[in-house]
Amino acid sequence: MLTRFKSIPSIISINPSNFTLNGMEKMKTKSRKKCNMFEGRWVYNPEEIPSYDSVKCPFVEEKMSCKNNGRPDSEYQKWRWEARDCNIPLFNGTYMLERLRNKRMILVGDSLNRNMWQSLACLLYFSVPSTTAKVEEKRNYKTIWKAKEYNFTLEFYWSPFLVELNDNHESGKKVLVLDDISTNSKKWIRVDIMVFNSGHWWDQRGRFKAWELFEYRGKLMKDMPIELAYGHGLKTWAKWIEKNVDSKKTTVLFRSISAPHKFPQYDQWCYNKTQLIMDESYVPVFPKSMVNVVENVLSQISKIQVKYLNITKLTEYRIDAHPSLYRFKDQNMLTEKYDNNLMNYADCTRWCLPGVPDTWNRLLYALIFFDR
């Protein structure tokens, strides 16, 4: 049982050989096969075992620990992404830590990148003895995990727009400043690997919208097409990258938009879904125009290479793997709080852990170490 589909090209050179440590090193000298690892299929394996237990991993927040919150099924954990024309290396946490000895890696963005950070932290945490790893700081959406034996740090910084959201603007309004990089960008310097994302917060509506006004080139405005505002914001980030990052020392990646399934009016709603979308003619609701903005901005960056972690297509079919109602362990509390509107509380944007973000990190691993 599988789903096949095409995706936007992003080429990686991978030799489909034995992915042991020795096999990985041999890749450097062996001939390689061109492979778009984002073009492929989800393959079901009833014997698939998750790489970690969310209950035992200290980094998984309650909202993503679906099993611990009572989700009865586990089939969503038994699908593995396979590229169409070659093998993708399996994630090897020990190898990754060895390669990143004395280095610093950051993930910056919204709760989807925090979702990805938690996954990667768990994958690495269970690759080393627990006595050699610790959380140095965990507050205000900033988390730093350090593998002491390797002198490696893995950090997450909250910045859903990558540009500045000014809550104390002189206008008295919440202003999204499209040409001013996020204030926590000062934390992004002197880094070896950077993984950015931004997208979902730009598409919020009504009471969920974080801003009241846009500011661009010194002018305040209430209305602007979201794709245009998103483009201005990403170009501000791109200029910061080109100005502040040394391509000889730092690897920069941008993770594409993860597909939400929160549209019941189009029968694209994760509530009570336990199976993948298998229809090859399926067209997701989330606007393709937003994805186009990302790819257009990335294509215009010339002073430094930004690798594109294109996970959009492979997430579009995974309607089965969101937390849905299993966001909290106390289901009775949710029932009392939301009464008959409980279904509207389903989280169909983020992902259960272990789950889909583990695949993102496997692809990230391949992009960092085997992209030639």
Side-chain angles (χ1 to χ4, degrees), residues 247-260:
S247 60
K248 295 180 181 179
K249 298 179 180 179
T250 303
T251 300
V252 182
L253 303 99
F254 192 95
R255 182 181 59 72
S256 69
I257 295 174
S258 166

Side-chain angles (χ1 to χ4, degrees), residues 44 46 73-79 274-276 318 320:
Y44 180 74
D73 67 299
S74 60
E75 294 299 289
Y76 66 94
Q77 297 178 342
K78 297 180 180 180
W79 293 85
T274 58
Q275 296 294 325
L276 280 73
R318 294 309 308 269
D320 60 312

Side-chain angles (χ1 to χ4, degrees), residues 48-54 56-57 77 80 90-93 119-127 353-355 358-359 362:
E48 187 82 8
I49 300 174
S51 299
Y52 56 90
D53 185 340
S54 63
K56 296 180 180 179
C57 182
Q77 297 178 342
R80 177 179 293 182
L90 295 178
F91 185 91
N92 186 315
S119 163
L120 183 55
C122 289
L123 289 167
L124 294 175
Y125 180 78
F126 284 97
S127 298
L353 293 178
D358 301 330
T359 294
R362 181 184 173 200

Side-chain angles (χ1 to χ4, degrees), residues 103 192 245-251 303-305:
K103 296 186 184 297
D192 299 286
V245 176
D246 184 348
S247 60
K248 295 180 181 179
K249 298 179 180 179
T250 303
T251 300
K303 295 181 180 179
I304 185 171
Q305 181 188 22

